[in-house]
Amino acid sequence: MKKITLSILALTLISLSASSQDESTMDVRTAVHAGVKIGINRANVYDSKTEEFDAEPKLGFAGGAFISIPIGRYLGVQPEVLFSQKGFNGKGRFAGSNYDLKRTTNHLDIPLYFAVKPSPFLTIMAGPQFSYLLSKKDVFTNNQFTIEQEQDFNTENIKKNILGAAIGIDINVKYVVFGLRANWDLQQNLGDGDSVSPRYKNQWIQASIGVRM
């Protein structure tokens, strides 16, 4: 009798474990999940519209929240809300002298991804993105002086509402999500296009790690 009881208990535990694993695998694609994530942006600009201005990549912080909403087993949508730092390290020439311009811009990014989920471990995403400029910091240095200027919401010559596009993948490992994104602005910032305030569009690659609940 004791052996029979132990056998039944073992079979029950195995059955529950398999069922739990099946539900865990299924939930990744068929259940609503919310989560948070942090990461790093490697940002730069393109279409600067000036031959004397060269931009190099700049690292920045990214972090926020997301929610995954299934549409069947293999499709879904995933809106996100992120604080995202962008910018560039620029070099140029003005009034006969060389200068460095380090620009850091803080944005509120809201991408809306359409997701394809070929497996529980992989999610492929693409969609539009809305970015709102929160603040901008410039550090201008030439051979004679350094000027540091920080502006919040009062940047008249910079477009604050920008439409962009984004693509990416998520690797799902239990409750942990590893993400990789490529993003770019579709609208320029409406600068006046001179060598000091170049007209440009942001582009950035984002790597992140998140927790799904």
Side-chain angles (χ1 to χ4, degrees):
M1 185 66 180
K2 184 177 181 180
K3 291 182 178 180
I4 295 175
T5 303
L6 291 175
S7 298
I8 293 174
L9 180 59
L11 290 173
T12 302
L13 289 174
I14 292 172
S15 177
L16 288 174
S17 176
S19 175
S20 175
Q21 290 177 359
D22 288 341
E23 288 178 1
S24 177
T25 300
M26 185 183 302
D27 284 349
V28 173
R29 294 193 285 181
T30 62
V32 176
H33 292 284
V36 294
K37 65 178 185 176
I38 59 173
I40 297 175
N41 288 340
R42 186 179 187 270
N44 204 342
V45 294
Y46 69 103
D47 194 23
S48 61
K49 301 292 186 180
T50 173
E51 295 180 356
E52 295 187 357
F53 181 83
D54 295 319
E56 297 180 353
K58 184 180 188 303
L59 296 180
F61 171 80
F66 63 90
I67 182 169
S68 178
I69 305 171
I71 305 174
R73 187 176 183 84
Y74 298 102
L75 300 175
V77 294
Q78 182 167 310
E80 300 183 355
V81 179
L82 303 170
F83 173 83
S84 182
Q85 287 186 325
K86 306 166 194 175
F88 57 86
N89 295 318
K91 296 179 181 297
R93 188 171 180 82
F94 180 71
S97 63
N98 297 325
Y99 72 87
D100 294 328
L101 174 61
K102 297 181 180 180
R103 173 166 292 174
T104 302
T105 54
N106 297 321
H107 293 258
L108 179 67
D109 286 346
I110 306 177
L112 176 59
Y113 292 108
F114 297 93
V116 178
K117 299 171 284 184
S119 78
F121 309 103
L122 177 65
T123 305
I124 303 170
M125 294 175 288
Q129 176 168 276
F130 170 78
S131 296
Y132 183 80
L133 178 64
L134 298 172
S135 64
K136 177 175 72 76
K137 180 179 180 179
D138 288 340
V139 179
F140 180 89
T141 304
N142 65 10
N143 297 330
Q144 300 176 346
F145 55 84
T146 296
I147 299 176
E148 183 172 322
Q149 184 179 34
E150 187 167 357
Q151 295 173 301
D152 295 317
F153 301 104
N154 57 355
T155 316
E156 296 180 359
N157 194 38
I158 300 295
K159 184 177 179 66
K160 292 187 283 290
N161 301 286
I162 302 173
L163 180 64
I167 59 174
I169 61 171
D170 277 349
I171 304 297
N172 308 299
V173 182
K174 293 186 178 180
Y175 298 104
V176 179
V177 182
F178 300 94
L180 183 64
R181 305 283 190 269
N183 317 68
W184 58 94
D185 291 344
L186 300 179
Q187 295 174 300
Q188 64 189 21
N189 76 327
L190 295 185
D192 57 20
D194 61 31
S195 59
V196 179
S197 180
R199 185 182 293 114
Y200 66 86
K201 300 175 184 177
N202 291 299
Q203 60 181 3
W204 64 103
I205 297 174
Q206 183 183 103
S208 66
I209 181 172
V211 178
R212 185 181 63 250
M213 293 173 278

